[in-house]
Amino acid sequence: MTAIPRPGKIVAIHLNYRSRAEQRGRTPAAPSYFFKPASSVGVSGGTVERPAGTELLAFEGEIALIIGTTARRVSVADAWSHVASVTASNDLGLYDLRAVDKGSNVRSKGGDGYTPLGPELIDAATVDPAALRVRAWVNGELRQDDSTSGVLFPLAQLIADLSQHFTLEPGDVILAGTPAGSSVIVPGDVVEIEVDAPDAAGSPTSGRLVTTVTQGTVPFDPALGSLPAVNDLQRTEAWGSRELAGLPDEGSVLTPELRAKLEAAPTAGLSSQLRKRGLHSCFIDGVHANIAGSKIVGTAKTLRFIPAREDLFTSHGGGYNAQKRAFDAVGEGEIVVIECRGDAGAGTLGDILALRAKTRGAAGVVTDGAVRDYDAVVEIGLPVFSQGRHPSVLGRKHVPWESDVTIACGGAAVQPGDIIVGDGDGVIVIPPPLAEEVVDAALAQEEQDAWVADRVAEGEKLDGLFPMNAEWRARYEARG
């Protein structure tokens, strides 16, 4: 086992692997970081304590970069030359203290032994930073397996970015993020992390970094600071899912049963029921389906564009912008709803974004702007409701600004998670708490209207039948 010098500083990135971002349902536009104290360093074969009164200690297998030469304002092209070694790390964290740290992770990830490193060092000059692999096992079971081909921000970018803010010195450690699969560990568990370069000559490896979890006995003193506290969100993120955390499926309000009812109910009937309940502004005006006969039902994934301005498009329009992040994060059954102020003077999505949404299982897209690559989007088969087609790209009229916020689309306020229903008559927004009541009433009204239509077809006059008077109502209720 190679002795690793105590680092001057340890810098860790919050979120860097696509698999982890998809698991968390959020994708950062740029890297963000936190510091860990040098006293958190541990060695292979050591132990880590889960403090008394806590339950959510989680492992995170990570690639650790050890700086070899001083780096200050270095370029991405030159950054990797400042790395001496690569090894394995376990970026342990205590979710019971995460909320009170508010992103700093001082207490939640700063504990003694919470950054074990090693056991062996890989010469950074012999490996491709885009072809490193990290794996993690708990009690011999493989839990994480990913490579740096799946990172959001290349390792060299992290070095260059940090070096523009402060000097990276020999011995400093950068933790490059963890992939999906991180979860809770309990006293007695044995965690092993390995970093290797399987495609490099000799397949260099860090060996397995071994850490055993023990149970602490000394509680936190309530007179000194915030006490550990957990809720279902922390349990879900620590374990990786509600199911793994043993929590009941919170699910969407849009259950399969409710979805089936909404698919059977026309928007005309649903809108009528919304109006009866005093909601007169739930209509997304001016949009039409790209595929005749399309019916969409889903929950809103919102995206907001602001008016084009050259400097803002330069800062926010290129790279991994809000539009791309939204389409990368849209979930199965969701509908991307786009606010572009009703301005159809530029496309708000094209065939590549439509294909990405389709691949991720999105139920459709609604935009109060235009669509470019219109025919190709139709061929992809993704239902899109828009104002029509336009060949121009975003920068002519729009700047992609933010997602997952309350927006205005076609004159309607839309919040993330609202239920969206669209058909040949248009698109409506249903507040989730009203959905079950509204659709049941709409389907009941449809059944009644079908009965009335049959009577009209038989030659009955409309007076007293539509709407029903007491006599016709009695006949309808007695229809058997």
Side-chain angles (χ1 to χ4, degrees):
M1 183 166 58
T2 302
I4 299 175
R6 184 180 174 113
K9 51 185 171 287
I10 305 168
V11 189
I13 185 171
H14 280 108
L15 194 59
N16 196 23
Y17 281 81
R18 292 188 184 91
S19 61
R20 177 79 156 178
E22 290 178 2
Q23 185 182 46
R24 288 287 174 88
R26 56 182 184 270
T27 304
S32 63
Y33 312 94
F34 58 93
F35 284 104
K36 299 190 75 172
S39 56
S40 70
V41 170
V43 298
S44 186
T47 61
V48 63
E49 179 183 289
R50 186 183 74 175
T54 65
E55 61 174 275
L56 299 179
L57 177 65
F59 74 92
E60 294 182 6
E62 304 209 12
I63 296 168
L65 313 179
I66 301 177
I67 297 299
T69 57
T70 300
R72 177 63 169 148
R73 296 192 177 96
V74 300
S75 67
V76 172
D78 185 50
W80 191 249
S81 69
H82 292 272
V83 180
S85 309
V86 175
T87 193
S89 180
N90 190 345
D91 182 18
L92 292 147
L94 193 62
Y95 280 71
D96 307 66
L97 293 172
R98 194 173 73 147
V100 297
D101 274 349
K102 301 185 186 302
S104 73
N105 291 333
V106 169
R107 288 167 288 195
S108 60
K109 284 181 171 285
D112 289 352
Y114 276 35
T115 316
L117 298 169
E120 303 297 336
L121 300 178
I122 300 170
D123 183 354
T126 67
V127 296
D128 178 358
L132 295 171
R133 178 173 63 173
V134 59
R135 292 179 292 173
W137 296 260
V138 177
N139 302 326
E141 178 184 350
L142 184 65
R143 297 289 187 84
Q144 292 182 295
D145 187 352
D146 210 334
S147 76
T148 47
S149 64
V151 298
L152 297 168
F153 312 108
L155 306 190
Q157 179 183 341
L158 306 185
I159 299 161
D161 180 25
L162 291 168
S163 77
Q164 70 178 332
H165 299 290
F166 50 78
T167 300
L168 294 171
E169 300 171 317
D172 286 350
V173 171
I174 299 173
L175 304 183
T178 197
S182 163
S183 195
V184 171
I185 45 179
V186 299
D189 283 348
V190 177
V191 185
E192 299 171 275
I193 313 293
E194 181 181 9
V195 168
D196 65 352
D199 299 326
S203 301
T205 176
S206 68
R208 293 201 181 184
L209 172 67
V210 181
T211 305
T212 301
V213 184
T214 63
Q215 178 61 57
T217 58
V218 180
F220 292 102
D221 187 342
L224 298 179
S226 299
L227 291 177
V230 298
N231 54 31
D232 285 355
L233 172 61
Q234 300 302 340
R235 291 188 177 97
T236 299
E237 296 214 334
W239 282 94
S241 71
R242 291 183 66 86
E243 180 181 6
L244 290 173
L247 298 170
D249 185 10
E250 181 180 51
S252 166
V253 172
L254 189 53
T255 62
E257 295 76 17
L258 177 55
R259 181 184 292 274
K261 288 195 274 189
L262 288 166
E263 288 173 345
T267 57
L270 293 167
S271 65
S272 176
Q273 295 302 323
L274 287 169
R275 288 196 305 274
K276 288 182 179 180
R277 288 157 179 77
L279 279 79
H280 303 285
S281 303
C282 292
F283 314 102
I284 297 179
D285 292 328
V287 300
H288 311 281
N290 64 335
I291 302 172
S294 293
K295 177 70 179 278
I296 58 169
V297 176
T299 50
K301 169 80 173 177
T302 60
L303 172 62
R304 176 174 171 248
F305 296 150
I306 65 170
R309 204 178 85 184
E310 288 75 8
D311 61 320
L312 295 179
F313 193 83
T314 298
S315 62
H316 288 76
Y320 197 44
N321 60 34
Q323 181 194 45
K324 294 174 185 175
R325 296 197 304 273
F327 276 82
D328 257 354
V330 64
E332 185 172 356
E334 289 187 319
I335 294 172
V336 180
V337 184
I338 304 173
E339 172 192 340
C340 52
R341 311 165 317 283
D343 190 333
T348 55
L349 77 150
D351 56 346
I352 298 299
L353 291 174
L355 181 60
R356 180 60 173 155
K358 175 82 170 178
T359 301
R360 288 190 57 80
V365 175
V366 178
T367 171
D368 62 357
V371 176
R372 66 192 302 259
D373 306 318
Y374 193 94
D375 293 338
V377 173
V378 170
E379 188 174 342
I380 287 167
L382 181 73
V384 177
F385 285 72
S386 72
Q387 290 203 61
R389 61 182 78 206
H390 199 286
S392 181
V393 294
L394 278 181
R396 180 172 184 267
K397 290 284 187 175
H398 311 298
V399 179
W401 198 251
E402 58 186 340
S403 61
D404 301 320
V405 295
T406 299
I407 63 170
C409 181
V414 183
Q415 294 192 298
D418 279 348
I419 293 175
I420 307 297
V421 182
D423 61 17
D425 282 341
V427 180
I428 60 173
V429 183
I430 304 176
L434 288 178
E436 196 83 45
E437 174 187 341
V438 165
V439 73
D440 285 345
L443 290 174
Q445 186 65 50
E446 282 298 299
E447 182 179 356
Q448 177 181 301
D449 289 349
W451 187 86
V452 168
D454 288 342
R455 304 293 77 76
V456 172
E458 292 168 355
E460 296 289 350
K461 63 181 181 179
L462 296 176
D463 186 30
L465 175 60
F466 187 67
M468 291 183 192
N469 59 21
E471 179 184 351
W472 276 110
R473 173 66 61 186
R475 290 174 64 178
Y476 173 72
E477 293 176 352
R479 66 195 185 282

